[in-house]
Every structure is written in C-alpha cells, then in structure tokens.
Amino acid sequence: MGPGPPAAGAGAPPRPLSLVARLSYAVGHFLNDLCASMWFTYLLLYLHSVRAYSSRGAGLLLLLGQVADGLCTPLVGYETDRAAGRCARCGPRKAWHLVGTTCVLLSFPFIFSPCLGCGATTPEWAALLYYGPFIVIFQFGWAATQIAHLSLIPELITNDHEKVELTALRYAFTVVANITVYGAAWLLLHLQASLHMGPTQDISDQLGVQDVPVFRNLSLLVVGIGAIFSLLFHLGTREGRRQLVEEPDEHSPLLAPTTARPLLLWKHWLRQPSFYQVGLLYMSTRLIVNLSQTYMAMYLTYSLNLPKKFIATIPLVMYLSGFFSSFLMNPVNKWIGRNMTYFVGLLVILVFAAWVALADGLGVAVYAAAVLLGTGCATILVTSLAMTADLIGPHTHSGAFVYGAMSFSDKVANGLAVMIIQSLYPCSSELCCGACVGFYHWVMSPHLAHPPAELSSWSLSPAPQVPTLSPSLPGCRDGV
C-alpha cells in the first residue's frame, strides 16, 4: 500500500472516538477562543475608548494582527502537512499546537496592558509600535494553534455526521469560552463599580482610563484558564504517527502504481473549483461572525448609549443562544442537509439585520436581537466548518494547507474590512460625537444584509477525486 490514506470503504470501519477523546479534542482550541473573544470584542473598544487612541490607529493594530495571522496560516498549514511525526507521543499537528500555545501565552497579556515606558507625552505612533511585535507573535501562535487543531478533525474522524458532531462540540466549547470571557468581564466591571459607589457612580458607567486594570486582569485570567485546557488537550488527544509525505521530483515515476492511492498535494487543491467555492463561503461566514462581534460593543456603547456592563451581558446572551443551538446542528444537518442548514442560519441573521436597520431604538428587545444573532452565527459557522471537513475528505495529509488557505482569506478580509470601517469614522478629534451614534447603527446592519454565497448553485458531494500525475488523465470533480 502506498503512503496515501486507504481507499474509502477498505478494511473495517474505524471505531468512533470515545466521549473522553472527543471532549479532550474539543477543549484544544479553548485558549484561542478565549483570546479571540477578547480580541474581536474588546480590542477596538480598549484602544479607542479606554486608551484614547485614534480610530485609525486602533484599526491599524487590528489590521496588523489580521494580516500577520493571514500570512502565517497557509505557511503553518503547509509545514504541518509536510512535517514528520518524529515524537512518539506528539504528532506534527500537536507539536505545532504546542508551539502556538506557548506564543499566545507569552504575548497576549501585553496587548491589553499599558505600554511599558509610555507617558502622557508619548506620541501615539510610538505606543502603536510598542504593541506591534506582541500582536505579531500572538497572531502567529494563534494561527499555529488553530490550523493544527482544525486539521485534526479529518485525521480523527471519517464519518460525515461524526464530523458535524465533533465540529459542533468544538464550537460548543468556543461558546463556553466566550461566555467565560463575558462573564468574567461583567464580574470585573461589577466589582469596579462597587468600589466607586457615591458621587463618581455616573462617571464609572462610562468607559475610560480607569478601566485599564479591568482589561489587564481579564487578559491574565484568560491565559491562565486557557493554559489549563491546553494541557488537558495534550494529555487526552492522541495523534497517530504518519509517514512523511514526499512530493514528487524528477526521479519519481510519472504514473502511480496501481496498488497505491495517489496523493492530493497542496498544489492540486489550487486547481479545484470546489476549493475556491468553499473558501469564499468560509471567508464570508467569518466576515459576518467577526464583524458583528467586533462592533457589537461599539454599537451598544455609542448607538444605544447603554451602560458599560452591557458590553458583557449582551455578548453573553448571544453566545448562550449559540451554545444551545450548536447541539441541534447534528440532527438538523441529518434532517435537511448542509446547504439548507446554512440557508436557515442566514435567514435568522437577515432577520436580525433588518430589525437593527429599521428600529430606531431596541430597548429591552436588544436581548431578543442578540438571541437571533447568536443563533444564526452559530449555525452558519458550524456548517461552514463541516463543509470544509467534507472538502478535505480522506486527504488528511494536506488538510492543514486547506484550513490555512481558508483562514488566510478570512483574516485578511476581516482586517481590511475593519480598517475601511475605522477610516470612515466620522469623529476626528473626540472619542465620540453625535455622528458616531448613527455610524455604528449603520455598521451593524449593512454588513449582515447580503448572503455570502449562492448556495442554490452548487451542492455538497463527496470529497474530490485524487488526480494522478499523468497529464492525460482527468483531475478532481468540480462540484463540492
């Protein structure tokens, strides 16, 4: 048998993962999820409203992080696929996961802490330069952890429905991570407010420099909890050692032996239309999810003029609804299929977008709107990840490259979108003026108002066939 994975249906079917193994895998992205929750929800708010940096400066730092992440993901994916599992207990994917986790733990607390050595007279550009290296290191580590963790899904499980179940379980812990961050943020803000009872109570309801310790302590809490769950992942998840996949060279035969299954290498993916279809779908999904998460706190603070405790409670409601809906993903996918499940999630998000666009003020209905957004985002995110795992199929030796390429387009698109929005910020000299009230109202509705892809034009089918090395033989199927 050649180095490629066995043909579908050959031999006895693999045994399903035990519950302990599934839970151990699902918590492997917990640190990343905790950090991502703070990054997308609170970075702009922290830099702009707490540290009083300009909107463009804050957007530039977020863009730097997204571009660094986007550039790292395909490179990490390629290296992960071609790395040999030289460690008896730690395969190449777990090794990259460990490297990424270490980088995240060492860099993330500095991003949400005051600039060391900076004073009141320090120019903004110098402070932004200080945060730059920490952001790049953090994003490299985040990318390495994400790609290593995602590429383990088709490695551990081959059944389509089990992939959805494992992806949903992974997303359930993503929701738990977000709930943890927002719950901790609410607790820290509540404790801070209790210390300012009296004449300064009204001042403490608005974000300002007095909230720097809140975000610093929250970042330290995030890395502490995340380190524990990363340890549980490495103790409970086993990655089998695989033979190193060699790319063909001038000494390789043009035709693979009839007894071997030819390999789907990274360059073969670039010739598949299905690769770009799923990539566009995944990028659009991440744009919806990440932009809504990034600007929800701004919308609550400036457009709805709510007290700062709502930047914790409203996202908490969003992710609680996403948590409960994630458990319905597997039966719903079995009932109506991948495409219709994704379409239903889009409809729920469009209802939210229409509500926000047409309503002048939401009042207590903001909680119901948060439920709609959380449910819709959970549905489309879980389904798009399952579609990506379907695309990879049995070709797990190049799965990390696929996830890396998908993540590259996602990160760059998110960074550019945020930078464009920040450049359109109407208030140039103040933290907020009357124009920003309508600005964030506009931001929260139009970017959700367009479906990311026409799902009716294509449908999911089994993973693409493997191309041979002969130019006269057909390649992969076009449809996904």
Side-chain angles (χ1 to χ4, degrees):
M1 201 66 164
R15 296 178 59 185
L17 289 179
S18 65
L19 179 60
V20 173
R22 293 174 189 233
L23 291 175
S24 298
Y25 168 81
V27 301
H29 206 252
F30 201 73
L31 172 62
N32 264 21
D33 293 329
L34 291 170
C35 294
S37 179
M38 279 200 69
W39 173 266
F40 283 112
T41 307
Y42 295 134
L43 180 68
L44 291 182
L45 198 68
Y46 172 75
L47 294 175
H48 187 55
S49 300
V50 178
R51 301 300 300 161
Y53 296 137
S54 66
S55 60
R56 291 192 179 185
L60 187 61
L61 284 181
L62 193 143
L63 175 62
L64 171 66
Q66 295 303 103
V67 171
D69 192 353
L71 293 176
C72 289
T73 44
L75 297 177
V76 170
Y78 174 75
E79 290 297 326
T80 301
D81 284 331
R82 95 192 224 337
R86 296 186 180 133
C87 179
R89 299 193 178 191
C90 186
R93 287 165 171 77
K94 288 184 62 179
W96 274 101
H97 187 284
L98 182 60
V99 171
T101 298
T102 303
C103 292
V104 170
L105 292 176
L106 294 178
S107 60
F108 187 73
F110 290 95
I111 299 175
F112 285 90
S113 298
C115 171
L116 298 177
C118 296
T121 59
T122 303
E124 181 177 305
W125 63 265
L128 298 182
L129 284 178
Y130 166 84
Y131 287 110
F134 295 112
I135 288 177
V136 171
I137 295 173
F138 161 67
Q139 291 292 359
F140 166 77
W142 200 97
T145 304
Q146 181 202 35
I147 297 305
H149 193 256
L150 279 175
S151 60
L152 276 171
I153 295 180
E155 184 86 9
L156 299 174
I157 286 180
T158 57
N159 181 273
D160 287 345
H161 294 305
E162 288 183 354
K163 287 177 186 176
V164 176
E165 184 179 355
L166 190 62
T167 304
L169 186 60
R170 178 183 183 273
Y171 182 77
F173 276 97
T174 299
V175 175
V176 172
N178 282 274
I179 292 172
T180 302
V181 170
Y182 300 137
W186 176 85
L187 181 61
L188 291 173
L189 290 171
H190 179 74
L191 292 176
Q192 183 205 44
S194 65
L195 298 177
H196 291 81
M197 295 298 291
T200 60
Q201 185 176 5
D202 292 337
I203 298 177
S204 67
D205 277 341
Q206 303 300 322
L207 287 169
V209 68
Q210 74 277 0
D211 297 300
V212 169
V214 172
F215 290 93
R216 180 196 60 211
N217 296 337
L218 184 59
S219 65
L220 293 174
L221 187 63
V222 159
V223 296
I225 297 175
I228 296 174
F229 280 92
S230 295
L231 178 62
L232 294 177
F233 163 78
H234 281 277
L235 293 177
T237 303
R238 299 184 61 182
E239 177 188 357
R241 298 184 66 190
R242 299 179 295 112
Q243 184 178 352
L244 178 63
V245 176
E246 297 286 348
E247 293 198 15
D249 55 25
E250 61 182 5
H251 302 293
S252 303
L254 290 178
L255 290 177
T258 56
T259 57
R261 183 186 180 101
L263 296 172
L264 190 63
L265 303 175
W266 66 271
K267 54 189 176 184
H268 297 135
W269 288 109
L270 300 179
R271 298 197 291 264
Q272 305 311 312
S274 56
F275 175 77
Y276 298 99
Q277 288 176 329
V278 176
L280 178 62
L281 184 74
Y282 182 79
M283 179 191 72
S284 303
T285 300
R286 281 294 185 179
L287 273 173
I288 293 175
V289 174
N290 291 343
L291 287 180
S292 60
Q293 183 179 5
T294 300
Y295 286 100
M296 175 58 78
M298 297 288 199
Y299 174 68
L300 296 171
T301 302
Y302 297 126
S303 292
L304 300 184
N305 198 27
L306 296 173
K308 62 185 179 182
K309 66 178 182 180
F310 281 87
I311 67 173
T313 56
I314 295 301
L316 184 62
V317 171
M318 286 174 51
Y319 281 93
L320 278 174
S321 61
F323 175 76
F324 290 115
S325 64
S326 66
F327 291 104
L328 301 176
M329 290 301 102
N330 195 33
V332 170
N333 269 266
K334 289 181 180 179
W335 181 36
I336 62 177
R338 295 267 204 279
N339 293 348
M340 285 304 300
T341 302
Y342 192 96
F343 184 69
V344 169
L346 276 182
L347 288 180
V348 174
I349 293 177
L350 288 174
V351 171
F352 165 83
W355 194 354
V356 170
L358 298 176
D360 294 330
L362 293 178
V364 294
V366 67
Y367 289 101
V371 170
L372 289 177
L373 183 59
T375 301
C377 287
T379 302
I380 63 174
L381 185 56
V382 170
T383 308
S384 66
L385 287 172
M387 288 176 174
T388 308
D390 287 341
L391 174 70
I392 295 171
H395 312 296
T396 58
H397 45 272
S398 56
F401 170 78
V402 175
Y403 282 114
M406 303 284 178
S407 188
F408 169 78
S409 61
D410 147 44
K411 298 303 188 303
V412 174
N414 275 281
L416 291 176
V418 169
M419 192 61 208
I420 292 173
I421 293 173
Q422 291 299 105
S423 299
L424 297 175
Y425 186 72
C427 305
S428 57
S429 59
E430 300 174 283
L431 285 181
C432 184
C433 62
C436 75
V437 175
F439 175 75
Y440 289 114
H441 181 272
W442 173 86
V443 167
M444 281 303 295
S445 54
H447 80 271
L448 297 172
H450 302 284
E454 272 303 327
L455 297 180
S456 59
S457 62
W458 56 280
S459 59
L460 280 176
S461 64
Q465 297 172 349
V466 184
T468 64
L469 300 177
S470 171
S472 62
L473 296 179
C476 297
R477 286 197 300 267
D478 292 342
V480 178

